[in-house]
Amino acid sequence: HLAVLRGGAAVADWPARDRARLEARTHRVVRKRGNPVVGCAPDGQLHLFVVSVGIGGWSGSAVTHLRSADGGRTWGEARRLVLSTFLNLGTLVRAQPVAMADGSIGLPAYHEFIHKHGLWVQLSPGGRVLRATGMHGGARSLQPSVAPLDGTRAVAMLRRGSDGRGVRSDTPATPTVLRTVTDAGGARWNAPQATEVPNPDSGVALLGLPDGSLLMACNPLARGRHVLALMRSTDDGATWTQASVVEDGPPDAEYSYPCLALAPDGSVLLSYTVRRERIRMRTFRLGEQAP
């Protein structure tokens, strides 16, 4: 589904692609869909990336790319991205794409088939895969969120993953958010390293700010997702300080799957799910506490 928000309220919402229409466009069986992410290119086109599963669980997934020239009202050709050498299975997305300086699209993705690790995908404006580079090494990691630092450098913050059974044999007593950097325009990434920010196997969102600092939304806990906070870094994500606590609920609450974006007027947009039942959007200006 897509929605238009204005003045703090949803003024329109509509289905973007249901299962039947996605099957018709891709000519493939689609059992379930998940993790849709959308980005707006400099030419005004919307790019939608959605995970679909034809057989098995999420390890049998692939990513489909669609484009819209009318704000998401209609969508053109659906193209399945080839991002894995093994039957093109086990690839997912979760974080929003990044507009690159050369006009291409940077798409943070990840693999969940056998091994969990981040993946950086670079696409042409038309959706052709130009490069797919793994973020290998270190602990199991997934769902990278990427912020460019300059023309060749970028940083990614990643969720530390379990082995699928809730067991982290390679994880210290308090699991933490992972960090990796590239100084080669995404052609190679260093092995993800642990930060000091706790992470209970939950997704994070990363945003580069105009002053060169980084903003991260996360659940800074060893267990649970009942606290959602904004963290800020002035050293490219090496260290973090808490900027604001957005939500602090009882232990059975859940505030998760955050996304961050910078609005044209300079305000920061934060969206996240509440108990996986509804989406909450907050808007705030830099230097102010998140409302």
Side-chain angles (χ1 to χ4, degrees):
H1 281 74
L2 291 176
V4 174
L5 281 76
R6 186 177 300 120
V11 297
D13 64 86
W14 65 96
R17 272 290 176 266
D18 60 22
R19 189 173 60 139
R21 284 188 287 178
L22 195 59
E23 283 186 330
R25 286 286 187 173
T26 59
H27 307 289
R28 295 176 182 272
V29 174
V30 176
R31 290 181 55 248
K32 57 184 177 180
R33 294 134 296 133
N35 288 17
V37 296
V38 66
C40 186
D43 62 4
Q45 283 200 95
L46 288 184
H47 292 260
L48 174 66
F49 302 90
V50 61
V51 176
S52 63
V53 176
I55 185 172
W58 292 116
S59 62
S61 61
V63 179
T64 298
H65 175 213
L66 303 99
R67 290 184 291 163
S68 173
D70 58 4
R73 293 293 178 179
T74 60
W75 296 89
E77 176 189 4
R79 176 179 297 181
R80 198 180 198 204
L81 302 182
V82 178
L83 302 174
S84 171
T85 57
F86 185 78
L87 302 177
N88 196 34
L89 297 177
T91 308
L92 302 91
V93 292
R94 214 288 302 180
Q96 60 267 43
V98 178
M100 306 290 283
D102 61 1
S104 61
I105 303 164
L107 178 66
Y110 60 102
H111 280 307
E112 270 203 30
F113 189 80
I114 302 178
H115 299 292
K116 294 181 179 180
H117 63 83
L119 183 71
W120 175 247
V121 181
Q122 192 170 350
L123 305 170
S124 71
R128 181 170 58 90
V129 177
L130 303 175
R131 173 190 297 158
T133 308
M135 301 174 181
H136 297 283
R140 295 172 183 266
S141 58
L142 64 159
Q143 298 179 352
S145 187
V146 175
L149 300 175
D150 56 34
T152 59
R153 297 185 306 127
V155 60
M157 307 301 293
L158 302 97
R159 166 181 176 175
R160 184 189 284 270
S162 69
D163 65 356
R165 300 170 305 199
V167 178
R168 301 183 183 87
S169 59
D170 58 353
T171 304
T174 302
T176 62
V177 176
L178 301 172
R179 171 182 178 265
T180 179
V181 297
T182 178
D183 59 3
R188 61 180 179 273
W189 296 78
N190 66 1
Q193 301 293 318
T195 67
E196 78 277 15
V197 181
N199 179 245
D201 193 2
S202 65
V204 304
L206 184 66
L207 179 67
L209 299 177
D211 64 0
S213 65
L214 298 174
L215 193 67
M216 180 170 64
C218 61
N219 304 114
L221 303 166
R223 297 177 64 87
R225 300 178 179 181
H226 54 281
V227 174
L228 181 67
L230 292 175
M231 315 289 291
R232 199 161 185 177
S233 173
T234 58
D235 55 7
D236 300 340
T239 60
W240 295 87
T241 57
Q242 185 169 286
S244 176
V245 174
V246 180
E247 300 278 7
D248 188 353
D252 63 344
E254 180 176 335
Y255 309 102
S256 55
Y257 297 98
C259 287
L260 285 167
L262 196 64
D265 66 357
S267 60
V268 174
L269 308 176
L270 169 66
S271 66
Y272 52 95
T273 66
V274 180
R275 295 186 183 272
R276 306 196 195 193
E277 296 172 348
R278 62 187 185 275
I279 296 172
R280 182 169 291 168
M281 174 78 77
R282 294 181 182 269
T283 305
F284 56 96
R285 294 195 174 277
L286 300 178
E288 298 178 356
Q289 290 291 99

